[in-house]
Amino acid sequence: MSEVSATLVLRRCRLSRPSTAQQEFAQSELVDIAIADRQIIAIAPNLPMAGLTELNVDGRLVSAPFVESHIHLDSALTAGEPRWNESGTLFEGIDIWRDRKASLTVEDVKARAIKALRQQASYGVLFVRSHADVSERSLTALKGLLAVREAVKDWMTLQVVAFPQDGLYGHEKNEALMEESLRLGADAVGGIPHYELTREDGVRSVHKIFELAQKYDRLVDVHCDEIDDPQSRFLEVMAGCCIRSGMSAEVTASHTTAFGSYNDAYALKLMGILRRGKLNFIANPLINITLQGRTDTYPKRRGVTRVKELWHNGLNVSLGHDCIQDPWYSLGTGNLLSVVEMAVHVCQMTGQAEMAACFDMVTMGGARTLNLRDGYGIEVGRPANLVVLEAESRYEAILRRATVRYVISRGRVLVETAPPVTRWVE
Ligand code: 17E
Ligand code: FE2
Protein backbone atom coordinates (compact mmCIF):
# COMPACT_ATOMS: atom_id res chain seq x y z
CA MET A 1 0.00 0.00 0.00
CA SER A 2 1.25 3.47 -0.85
CA GLU A 3 1.40 6.05 1.92
CA VAL A 4 -1.03 8.29 0.03
CA SER A 5 -4.40 7.70 1.58
CA ALA A 6 -7.86 8.60 0.46
CA THR A 7 -10.99 9.42 2.41
CA LEU A 8 -13.10 7.32 0.06
CA VAL A 9 -12.22 4.72 -2.56
CA LEU A 10 -14.79 3.29 -4.95
CA ARG A 11 -13.66 -0.09 -6.25
CA ARG A 12 -14.45 -1.69 -9.63
CA CYS A 13 -16.38 1.16 -11.26
CA ARG A 14 -17.66 1.02 -14.82
CA LEU A 15 -17.38 4.58 -16.09
CA SER A 16 -20.25 5.86 -18.22
CA ARG A 17 -17.67 7.57 -20.41
CA PRO A 18 -13.90 7.23 -20.51
CA SER A 19 -11.92 9.67 -18.38
CA THR A 20 -8.63 11.12 -19.63
CA ALA A 21 -6.89 9.12 -16.90
CA GLN A 22 -8.22 6.02 -18.62
CA GLN A 23 -6.28 6.49 -21.86
CA GLU A 24 -3.57 4.04 -20.83
CA PHE A 25 -5.88 1.08 -20.38
CA ALA A 26 -8.89 -0.52 -22.02
CA GLN A 27 -11.98 1.66 -21.81
CA SER A 28 -14.10 -1.31 -20.78
CA GLU A 29 -11.79 -2.07 -17.84
CA LEU A 30 -13.17 -1.49 -14.37
CA VAL A 31 -11.41 1.24 -12.43
CA ASP A 32 -11.04 2.39 -8.85
CA ILE A 33 -11.71 6.01 -7.98
CA ALA A 34 -9.92 7.60 -5.02
CA ILE A 35 -11.22 10.72 -3.31
CA ALA A 36 -9.55 13.03 -0.78
CA ASP A 37 -10.25 16.60 0.28
CA ARG A 38 -13.50 16.62 -1.72
CA GLN A 39 -11.54 15.94 -4.91
CA ILE A 40 -10.93 12.99 -7.19
CA ILE A 41 -7.23 12.20 -6.70
CA ALA A 42 -6.76 9.04 -8.77
CA ILE A 43 -8.55 6.86 -11.33
CA ALA A 44 -6.99 3.53 -12.34
CA PRO A 45 -7.59 -0.20 -12.12
CA ASN A 46 -6.56 -1.76 -8.78
CA LEU A 47 -5.39 1.45 -7.12
CA PRO A 48 -2.81 0.60 -4.47
CA MET A 49 -4.11 3.07 -1.91
CA ALA A 50 -6.39 2.54 1.04
CA GLY A 51 -9.45 4.61 1.75
CA LEU A 52 -10.87 5.41 5.15
CA THR A 53 -14.10 4.21 3.57
CA GLU A 54 -14.13 1.66 0.77
CA LEU A 55 -17.12 1.01 -1.43
CA ASN A 56 -17.19 -2.01 -3.72
CA VAL A 57 -19.21 -0.85 -6.71
CA ASP A 58 -18.79 -4.28 -8.31
CA GLY A 59 -19.00 -3.31 -11.97
CA ARG A 60 -21.93 -0.92 -11.69
CA LEU A 61 -22.18 2.16 -13.86
CA VAL A 62 -20.56 5.24 -12.35
CA SER A 63 -21.47 8.57 -13.87
CA ALA A 64 -20.95 12.23 -13.16
CA PRO A 65 -24.12 13.45 -11.41
CA PHE A 66 -27.32 14.26 -13.22
CA VAL A 67 -27.76 17.92 -14.11
CA GLU A 68 -31.24 19.44 -13.93
CA SER A 69 -30.88 22.26 -16.42
CA HIS A 70 -34.44 23.56 -16.30
CA ILE A 71 -36.87 23.59 -13.41
CA HIS A 72 -39.20 26.06 -11.71
CA LEU A 73 -38.53 25.49 -8.01
CA ASP A 74 -40.57 28.53 -6.94
CA SER A 75 -43.78 26.83 -8.08
CA ALA A 76 -42.74 23.23 -7.25
CA LEU A 77 -45.12 21.24 -5.04
CA THR A 78 -48.06 23.65 -5.42
CA ALA A 79 -50.24 21.54 -7.75
CA GLY A 80 -53.92 22.15 -7.00
CA GLU A 81 -53.27 25.47 -5.23
CA PRO A 82 -55.57 27.33 -5.51
CA ARG A 83 -57.02 25.11 -8.26
CA TRP A 84 -56.06 22.40 -10.74
CA ASN A 85 -55.19 23.13 -14.37
CA GLU A 86 -58.18 21.64 -16.20
CA SER A 87 -57.40 22.75 -19.77
CA GLY A 88 -53.78 21.63 -19.50
CA THR A 89 -52.52 24.72 -21.34
CA LEU A 90 -49.54 26.92 -20.59
CA PHE A 91 -51.88 29.89 -20.36
CA GLU A 92 -54.14 28.39 -17.68
CA GLY A 93 -50.98 27.44 -15.79
CA ILE A 94 -49.76 31.04 -15.88
CA ASP A 95 -53.17 32.26 -14.64
CA ILE A 96 -53.24 29.77 -11.74
CA TRP A 97 -49.68 30.67 -10.79
CA ARG A 98 -50.58 34.38 -10.85
CA ASP A 99 -53.18 33.66 -8.15
CA ARG A 100 -50.89 31.35 -6.15
CA LYS A 101 -47.97 33.77 -6.17
CA ALA A 102 -50.10 36.47 -4.55
CA SER A 103 -49.72 34.54 -1.27
CA LEU A 104 -46.05 33.63 -1.67
CA THR A 105 -43.68 34.08 1.28
CA VAL A 106 -39.92 33.57 1.40
CA GLU A 107 -40.42 30.73 3.92
CA ASP A 108 -42.98 29.03 1.67
CA VAL A 109 -40.60 29.19 -1.34
CA LYS A 110 -37.63 27.97 0.71
CA ALA A 111 -39.46 25.04 2.29
CA ARG A 112 -40.86 23.73 -1.00
CA ALA A 113 -37.63 24.31 -2.95
CA ILE A 114 -35.48 22.49 -0.37
CA LYS A 115 -37.94 19.59 -0.25
CA ALA A 116 -37.82 19.35 -4.06
CA LEU A 117 -33.99 19.61 -4.12
CA ARG A 118 -33.63 16.82 -1.56
CA GLN A 119 -35.87 14.66 -3.70
CA GLN A 120 -33.81 15.52 -6.78
CA ALA A 121 -30.55 14.74 -4.94
CA SER A 122 -31.92 11.34 -3.99
CA TYR A 123 -32.14 10.65 -7.73
CA GLY A 124 -28.52 11.70 -8.22
CA VAL A 125 -29.09 15.30 -9.31
CA LEU A 126 -26.38 17.55 -7.83
CA PHE A 127 -26.56 20.54 -10.20
CA VAL A 128 -29.79 22.45 -10.77
CA ARG A 129 -30.76 25.55 -12.74
CA SER A 130 -34.06 26.98 -11.50
CA HIS A 131 -36.13 29.82 -12.85
CA ALA A 132 -37.53 32.32 -10.33
CA ASP A 133 -40.50 34.41 -11.37
CA VAL A 134 -39.45 38.06 -11.06
CA SER A 135 -42.62 39.61 -12.47
CA GLU A 136 -43.97 40.12 -8.99
CA ARG A 137 -43.35 43.28 -7.02
CA SER A 138 -41.73 41.94 -3.84
CA LEU A 139 -39.36 39.54 -5.69
CA THR A 140 -40.27 36.90 -3.09
CA ALA A 141 -39.57 33.93 -5.36
CA LEU A 142 -36.13 35.27 -6.24
CA LYS A 143 -35.20 36.13 -2.65
CA GLY A 144 -36.36 32.69 -1.51
CA LEU A 145 -34.34 30.85 -4.14
CA LEU A 146 -31.21 32.95 -3.57
CA ALA A 147 -31.43 32.01 0.12
CA VAL A 148 -31.84 28.37 -0.86
CA ARG A 149 -28.79 28.58 -3.17
CA GLU A 150 -26.75 29.54 -0.11
CA ALA A 151 -28.42 27.05 2.26
CA VAL A 152 -27.77 23.99 0.06
CA LYS A 153 -24.34 24.85 -1.32
CA ASP A 154 -22.53 22.19 0.72
CA TRP A 155 -24.34 19.41 -1.12
CA MET A 156 -26.06 20.92 -4.18
CA THR A 157 -25.11 23.58 -6.75
CA LEU A 158 -28.06 25.78 -7.61
CA GLN A 159 -28.23 28.45 -10.33
CA VAL A 160 -31.10 30.93 -10.33
CA VAL A 161 -32.52 32.52 -13.49
CA ALA A 162 -34.45 35.79 -13.15
CA PHE A 163 -37.52 34.86 -15.18
CA PRO A 164 -40.26 37.43 -15.95
CA GLN A 165 -43.20 35.02 -16.24
CA ASP A 166 -45.68 37.78 -17.13
CA GLY A 167 -43.35 39.33 -19.72
CA LEU A 168 -40.48 41.81 -19.45
CA TYR A 169 -42.83 44.45 -20.86
CA GLY A 170 -46.10 42.88 -19.63
CA HIS A 171 -46.17 45.42 -16.81
CA GLU A 172 -44.34 48.73 -16.62
CA LYS A 173 -42.51 47.68 -13.44
CA ASN A 174 -41.11 44.44 -14.79
CA GLU A 175 -38.03 45.78 -16.51
CA ALA A 176 -36.85 47.47 -13.28
CA LEU A 177 -37.62 44.27 -11.33
CA MET A 178 -35.37 42.34 -13.71
CA GLU A 179 -32.50 44.74 -13.15
CA GLU A 180 -33.02 44.61 -9.37
CA SER A 181 -32.92 40.80 -9.55
CA LEU A 182 -29.52 40.94 -11.24
CA ARG A 183 -28.23 43.32 -8.60
CA LEU A 184 -29.50 40.89 -5.93
CA GLY A 185 -27.39 38.14 -7.52
CA ALA A 186 -29.39 36.10 -10.03
CA ASP A 187 -27.05 33.91 -12.10
CA ALA A 188 -28.86 34.33 -15.41
CA VAL A 189 -31.22 36.63 -17.28
CA GLY A 190 -34.45 34.97 -18.41
CA GLY A 191 -37.25 35.96 -20.73
CA ILE A 192 -40.46 34.91 -22.46
CA PRO A 193 -40.64 36.73 -25.84
CA HIS A 194 -43.55 34.65 -27.24
CA TYR A 195 -45.74 35.83 -24.31
CA GLU A 196 -45.01 39.56 -24.66
CA LEU A 197 -47.94 41.71 -25.82
CA THR A 198 -46.64 42.14 -29.35
CA ARG A 199 -44.04 40.59 -31.60
CA GLU A 200 -42.11 43.86 -31.44
CA ASP A 201 -42.03 43.68 -27.63
CA GLY A 202 -40.77 40.11 -27.96
CA VAL A 203 -37.88 41.15 -30.19
CA ARG A 204 -37.11 44.13 -27.96
CA SER A 205 -37.10 41.86 -24.88
CA VAL A 206 -34.48 39.55 -26.42
CA HIS A 207 -32.19 42.50 -27.21
CA LYS A 208 -32.67 43.81 -23.66
CA ILE A 209 -31.84 40.40 -22.16
CA PHE A 210 -28.51 40.27 -24.00
CA GLU A 211 -27.75 43.86 -23.05
CA LEU A 212 -28.38 43.12 -19.36
CA ALA A 213 -26.36 39.89 -19.50
CA GLN A 214 -23.38 41.83 -20.81
CA LYS A 215 -23.83 44.71 -18.39
CA TYR A 216 -23.98 42.41 -15.34
CA ASP A 217 -21.80 39.59 -16.74
CA ARG A 218 -24.47 36.90 -16.36
CA LEU A 219 -25.69 33.89 -18.32
CA VAL A 220 -28.81 33.95 -20.52
CA ASP A 221 -31.64 31.38 -20.43
CA VAL A 222 -34.79 32.37 -22.29
CA HIS A 223 -38.11 30.54 -22.46
CA CYS A 224 -38.25 30.86 -26.24
CA ASP A 225 -41.12 30.06 -28.61
CA GLU A 226 -42.94 27.81 -26.15
CA ILE A 227 -46.04 27.76 -28.30
CA ASP A 228 -47.32 25.76 -31.28
CA ASP A 229 -47.54 28.90 -33.45
CA PRO A 230 -45.18 28.41 -36.44
CA GLN A 231 -45.01 32.23 -36.69
CA SER A 232 -43.28 32.45 -33.30
CA ARG A 233 -39.71 33.09 -34.42
CA PHE A 234 -37.74 34.51 -31.51
CA LEU A 235 -35.10 31.77 -31.68
CA GLU A 236 -33.65 33.44 -34.79
CA VAL A 237 -33.48 36.71 -32.83
CA MET A 238 -31.57 34.96 -30.03
CA ALA A 239 -29.17 33.31 -32.49
CA GLY A 240 -28.64 36.68 -34.20
CA CYS A 241 -27.77 38.26 -30.84
CA CYS A 242 -25.29 35.42 -30.19
CA ILE A 243 -23.58 35.96 -33.54
CA ARG A 244 -23.36 39.73 -33.09
CA SER A 245 -22.43 39.80 -29.38
CA GLY A 246 -19.99 36.88 -29.40
CA MET A 247 -21.90 35.29 -26.53
CA SER A 248 -22.83 31.66 -27.23
CA ALA A 249 -21.71 29.11 -24.63
CA GLU A 250 -23.33 31.39 -22.01
CA VAL A 251 -26.67 31.43 -23.84
CA THR A 252 -29.53 28.92 -23.70
CA ALA A 253 -32.82 28.72 -25.55
CA SER A 254 -35.31 26.73 -23.47
CA HIS A 255 -38.36 24.85 -24.78
CA THR A 256 -38.29 26.21 -28.43
CA THR A 257 -41.35 24.05 -29.10
CA ALA A 258 -42.46 26.10 -32.14
CA PHE A 259 -39.38 24.65 -33.88
CA GLY A 260 -41.42 21.44 -34.06
CA SER A 261 -44.06 23.36 -36.06
CA TYR A 262 -41.87 25.36 -38.47
CA ASN A 263 -41.97 24.37 -42.14
CA ASP A 264 -38.88 22.47 -43.27
CA ALA A 265 -37.67 25.24 -45.62
CA TYR A 266 -37.49 27.70 -42.73
CA ALA A 267 -36.13 25.04 -40.35
CA LEU A 268 -33.24 24.42 -42.76
CA LYS A 269 -32.37 28.12 -42.93
CA LEU A 270 -32.71 28.45 -39.15
CA MET A 271 -30.44 25.48 -38.45
CA GLY A 272 -27.63 27.21 -40.36
CA ILE A 273 -28.04 30.31 -38.19
CA LEU A 274 -28.12 28.18 -35.03
CA ARG A 275 -24.88 26.46 -36.03
CA ARG A 276 -23.28 29.90 -36.29
CA GLY A 277 -24.86 31.08 -33.02
CA LYS A 278 -23.68 27.93 -31.12
CA LEU A 279 -26.13 28.46 -28.27
CA ASN A 280 -27.37 25.70 -25.94
CA PHE A 281 -30.82 24.12 -26.09
CA ILE A 282 -33.04 22.64 -23.43
CA ALA A 283 -36.00 20.44 -24.27
CA ASN A 284 -38.55 19.60 -21.58
CA PRO A 285 -40.36 16.65 -23.14
CA LEU A 286 -42.43 15.62 -20.09
CA ILE A 287 -44.10 19.00 -19.91
CA ASN A 288 -44.29 19.99 -23.56
CA ILE A 289 -45.82 16.70 -24.70
CA THR A 290 -48.67 17.59 -22.35
CA LEU A 291 -48.87 21.43 -22.67
CA GLN A 292 -48.57 21.64 -26.47
CA GLY A 293 -51.00 20.42 -29.10
CA ARG A 294 -53.95 21.50 -26.97
CA THR A 295 -55.52 23.54 -29.78
CA ASP A 296 -55.05 20.74 -32.33
CA THR A 297 -57.67 18.17 -33.15
CA TYR A 298 -55.96 15.46 -35.23
CA PRO A 299 -53.25 15.01 -36.28
CA LYS A 300 -52.06 16.32 -32.92
CA ARG A 301 -48.56 17.79 -32.75
CA ARG A 302 -45.95 16.54 -30.30
CA GLY A 303 -44.90 20.10 -29.51
CA VAL A 304 -41.32 19.24 -28.64
CA THR A 305 -38.33 20.90 -30.30
CA ARG A 306 -36.20 19.13 -32.91
CA VAL A 307 -33.89 17.37 -30.45
CA LYS A 308 -32.56 14.79 -32.91
CA GLU A 309 -31.76 17.36 -35.59
CA LEU A 310 -30.13 19.79 -33.14
CA TRP A 311 -27.98 16.94 -31.84
CA HIS A 312 -27.05 15.85 -35.40
CA ASN A 313 -26.04 19.44 -36.13
CA GLY A 314 -23.56 19.36 -33.26
CA LEU A 315 -25.47 21.74 -31.02
CA ASN A 316 -25.48 21.19 -27.28
CA VAL A 317 -28.83 19.83 -26.11
CA SER A 318 -29.88 19.15 -22.56
CA LEU A 319 -33.12 17.82 -21.15
CA GLY A 320 -34.99 19.31 -18.21
CA HIS A 321 -37.84 18.28 -15.95
CA ASP A 322 -39.38 21.81 -15.95
CA CYS A 323 -41.99 21.05 -13.26
CA ILE A 324 -42.47 19.01 -10.12
CA GLN A 325 -46.18 19.06 -9.24
CA ASP A 326 -47.10 22.62 -10.14
CA PRO A 327 -49.80 24.56 -12.08
CA TRP A 328 -48.39 23.32 -15.42
CA TYR A 329 -47.84 19.66 -14.57
CA SER A 330 -49.33 17.80 -11.65
CA LEU A 331 -46.91 14.86 -11.87
CA GLY A 332 -43.09 14.79 -11.70
CA THR A 333 -40.66 13.35 -9.18
CA GLY A 334 -37.32 14.96 -10.02
CA ASN A 335 -35.93 11.77 -11.52
CA LEU A 336 -34.17 12.77 -14.76
CA LEU A 337 -34.31 9.20 -16.05
CA SER A 338 -38.08 9.76 -16.46
CA VAL A 339 -37.28 12.80 -18.61
CA VAL A 340 -34.82 10.76 -20.67
CA GLU A 341 -37.39 8.02 -21.15
CA MET A 342 -39.92 10.55 -22.46
CA ALA A 343 -37.32 12.12 -24.78
CA VAL A 344 -36.44 8.71 -26.23
CA HIS A 345 -40.12 8.23 -27.13
CA VAL A 346 -41.24 11.71 -28.17
CA CYS A 347 -38.07 12.61 -30.07
CA GLN A 348 -37.72 9.05 -31.47
CA MET A 349 -34.19 8.76 -30.09
CA THR A 350 -34.42 4.96 -30.06
CA GLY A 351 -31.09 3.98 -31.67
CA GLN A 352 -28.34 2.78 -29.33
CA ALA A 353 -26.18 5.87 -29.95
CA GLU A 354 -29.28 8.04 -29.64
CA MET A 355 -30.22 6.60 -26.26
CA ALA A 356 -26.67 7.06 -24.99
CA ALA A 357 -26.87 10.65 -26.24
CA CYS A 358 -30.07 11.21 -24.26
CA PHE A 359 -28.31 10.00 -21.11
CA ASP A 360 -25.48 12.44 -21.90
CA MET A 361 -28.05 15.25 -22.29
CA VAL A 362 -28.93 15.00 -18.58
CA THR A 363 -25.29 14.72 -17.51
CA MET A 364 -22.50 16.36 -19.54
CA GLY A 365 -24.89 18.21 -21.89
CA GLY A 366 -26.57 19.82 -18.90
CA ALA A 367 -23.15 20.62 -17.41
CA ARG A 368 -22.23 22.46 -20.61
CA THR A 369 -25.49 24.40 -20.53
CA LEU A 370 -24.81 25.44 -16.92
CA ASN A 371 -21.21 26.41 -17.81
CA LEU A 372 -19.85 24.10 -15.09
CA ARG A 373 -16.59 23.55 -17.01
CA ASP A 374 -13.87 22.00 -14.76
CA GLY A 375 -16.34 21.85 -11.88
CA TYR A 376 -17.91 18.75 -13.43
CA GLY A 377 -16.84 15.31 -14.63
CA ILE A 378 -15.05 12.23 -13.40
CA GLU A 379 -11.47 13.41 -13.85
CA VAL A 380 -8.51 13.65 -11.52
CA GLY A 381 -8.42 17.07 -9.84
CA ARG A 382 -12.14 17.74 -10.23
CA PRO A 383 -14.67 17.93 -7.39
CA ALA A 384 -15.72 14.49 -6.15
CA ASN A 385 -19.33 14.42 -7.29
CA LEU A 386 -20.62 11.20 -8.83
CA VAL A 387 -23.40 8.65 -8.84
CA VAL A 388 -23.44 4.84 -8.81
CA LEU A 389 -26.33 3.34 -10.76
CA GLU A 390 -27.91 -0.11 -10.52
CA ALA A 391 -27.03 -0.71 -14.21
CA GLU A 392 -24.06 -1.62 -16.36
CA SER A 393 -24.65 0.78 -19.26
CA ARG A 394 -26.44 3.99 -20.13
CA TYR A 395 -28.93 1.90 -22.10
CA GLU A 396 -29.65 -0.31 -19.10
CA ALA A 397 -29.99 2.74 -16.85
CA ILE A 398 -32.74 4.07 -19.15
CA LEU A 399 -34.35 0.67 -19.67
CA ARG A 400 -34.75 0.00 -15.96
CA ARG A 401 -35.02 3.61 -14.81
CA ALA A 402 -32.18 2.42 -12.62
CA THR A 403 -32.02 3.05 -8.91
CA VAL A 404 -29.20 5.42 -7.98
CA ARG A 405 -27.44 3.33 -5.32
CA TYR A 406 -25.03 5.98 -4.08
CA VAL A 407 -24.93 9.72 -4.53
CA ILE A 408 -21.50 11.14 -3.71
CA SER A 409 -21.44 14.88 -3.20
CA ARG A 410 -18.31 16.84 -2.35
CA GLY A 411 -16.49 13.59 -1.54
CA ARG A 412 -19.09 12.24 0.90
CA VAL A 413 -21.84 9.67 0.48
CA LEU A 414 -24.93 11.90 0.60
CA VAL A 415 -27.69 9.41 -0.22
CA GLU A 416 -27.86 5.64 -0.38
CA THR A 417 -30.84 3.81 -1.90
CA ALA A 418 -31.41 0.08 -1.89
CA PRO A 419 -33.08 -1.27 -5.03
CA PRO A 420 -36.50 -2.85 -4.54
CA VAL A 421 -36.43 -6.60 -3.97
CA THR A 422 -39.05 -8.81 -5.64
CA ARG A 423 -39.59 -12.31 -4.32
CA TRP A 424 -41.67 -14.98 -6.00
CA VAL A 425 -43.84 -16.40 -3.24
CA GLU A 426 -44.52 -19.79 -4.77
N1 17E B 1 -43.76 28.90 -17.17
C1 17E B 1 -43.69 28.88 -18.52
O1 17E B 1 -43.76 29.94 -19.17
N2 17E B 1 -43.54 27.71 -19.15
C2 17E B 1 -43.45 26.58 -18.47
N3 17E B 1 -43.29 25.42 -19.14
C3 17E B 1 -43.54 26.58 -17.06
C4 17E B 1 -43.69 27.77 -16.44
C5 17E B 1 -43.47 25.32 -16.29
FE1 FE2 C 1 -39.88 26.34 -18.10
Side-chain angles (χ1 to χ4, degrees), residues 275 278-279 308-317 368:
R275 277 201 307 265
K278 291 194 187 68
L279 63 171
K308 191 189 293 237
E309 292 75 12
L310 288 165
W311 173 62
H312 273 298
N313 277 274
L315 288 153
N316 182 46
V317 182
R368 230 174 109 185

Side-chain angles (χ1 to χ4, degrees), residues 70 72 75 90 94 163 165 192 194 223 226 255 287-288 291 322-323 326 328:
H70 189 120
H72 297 254
S75 54
L90 169 68
I94 294 176
F163 170 54
Q165 176 71 80
I192 185 164
H194 55 276
H223 279 64
E226 190 188 13
H255 294 287
I287 274 48
N288 289 122
L291 285 183
D322 206 14
C323 307
D326 72 9
W328 294 273

Side-chain angles (χ1 to χ4, degrees), residues 19 25 87 195 267 309 325:
S19 77
F25 38 88
S87 70
Y195 191 68
E309 292 75 12
Q325 300 153 51

Side-chain angles (χ1 to χ4, degrees), residues 335-373:
N335 186 348
L336 278 169
L337 288 175
S338 304
V339 177
V340 169
E341 187 176 15
M342 186 57 78
V344 166
H345 289 78
V346 172
C347 308
Q348 299 190 328
M349 296 284 282
T350 49
Q352 282 293 301
E354 291 173 341
M355 281 200 252
C358 286
F359 185 95
D360 292 347
M361 287 177 193
V362 292
T363 49
M364 50 177 288
R368 230 174 109 185
T369 299
L370 267 61
N371 281 247
L372 299 177
R373 303 204 173 103

